Amino acid sequence: MDRIEKREFVAELSSVFAETSMVVVTQNKGMTVAEVTELRRKMREAGASFKVAKNRLALLALDGTRFDGISPLLKGPTALAWSTDPVAVAKAAVDFAKTNDKFVLLGGSLGSRVLDANGVKALSELPSLDALRAKLLGLLQAPATKVAGVLQAPAGQLARVFAAYADSKKGEAA
C-alpha cells in the first residue's frame, strides 16, 4: 500500500465512522479465507460491514471521531465491523463467535459509549430496530382498534335487543 492508498483508506474509514452508529472490534487470528468469507456474507445479510484494517491506519481514522474510545482495543490482528443498526452488527458478530472459536469479540462502541465484549453480547440480545418499530406500530394501532370496538359495541347490543323484542312479539302473535 503506498501513501496515496493509505490516505484514501483512512479517509474512507473516517467517513464510515461519521455515518455509523456502532463499531465492533474483533480479533480474527488464524481464520481461514473461507471462514472470513462466510463472516462477511453473514455481516452483509445483517446489514453490517466487516473490514480487516491495519491498526495504525484505523487509529488515524478514529482520531477525533466519537469512536476514539476503542483505540486501546486495536492491538494485534484486529478487524472492525460496523452498521447503522447497532443491534444487527452485534447479533451478527456474536452469532459468528458462537460457531467459530478463532473469532473473538474484543469490544465495541455505541456512539461515544465504549462497550466491552459482554456489553456487545448484551446488546445482541435486544430486539432489532425493525422488531422495535413493529412493536411500536402495534402499540399505536391497538388503542384505535379498541376505540372502534367500544364504539361499535353499543350499536350491536341495541340491535340484538331489538331483534329479541321482535322475536318475542312474533312468539306472542303466533
Side-chain angles (χ1 to χ4, degrees):
M1 221 184 221
D2 64 356
R3 287 180 186 239
I4 295 171
E5 290 174 331
K6 288 179 182 178
R7 283 191 194 121
E8 289 173 356
F9 181 77
V10 169
E12 177 187 336
L13 211 50
S14 293
S15 68
V16 163
F17 292 144
E19 297 170 1
T20 191
S21 63
M22 174 74 177
V23 177
V24 176
V25 182
T26 63
Q27 191 174 53
N28 56 344
K29 190 187 290 187
M31 287 179 60
T32 65
V33 173
E35 291 170 334
V36 173
T37 303
E38 178 68 15
L39 172 61
R40 284 192 171 121
R41 185 185 62 75
K42 288 186 178 184
M43 288 285 183
R44 263 192 312 275
E45 288 174 359
S49 300
F50 178 80
K51 189 143 192 117
V52 177
K54 285 192 170 191
N55 291 337
R56 192 172 49 80
L57 297 178
L59 288 170
L60 289 172
L62 282 171
D63 191 34
T65 66
R66 59 188 172 172
F67 299 108
D68 60 358
I70 61 173
S71 297
L73 300 175
L74 297 175
K75 293 185 181 3
T78 58
L80 303 171
W82 63 85
S83 175
T84 54
D85 182 2
V87 177
V89 69
K91 276 188 184 194
V94 168
D95 288 345
F96 192 80
K98 288 178 184 175
T99 62
N100 192 323
D101 295 337
K102 298 173 190 169
F103 185 73
V104 179
L105 293 173
L106 297 178
S109 180
L110 180 59
S112 58
R113 184 173 180 157
V114 178
L115 304 170
D116 62 352
N118 291 329
V120 174
K121 288 177 185 174
L123 185 64
S124 74
E125 294 169 0
L126 294 175
S128 70
L129 195 56
D130 290 336
L132 288 175
R133 285 180 181 151
K135 192 177 283 189
L136 181 62
L137 186 61
L139 288 174
L140 291 175
Q141 286 179 341
T145 305
K146 288 179 182 176
V147 167
V150 167
L151 291 176
Q152 211 173 20
Q157 288 174 347
L158 195 57
R160 284 189 291 280
V161 167
F162 287 144
Y165 183 74
D167 289 343
S168 69
K169 289 295 180 183
K170 285 181 188 175
E172 288 176 8

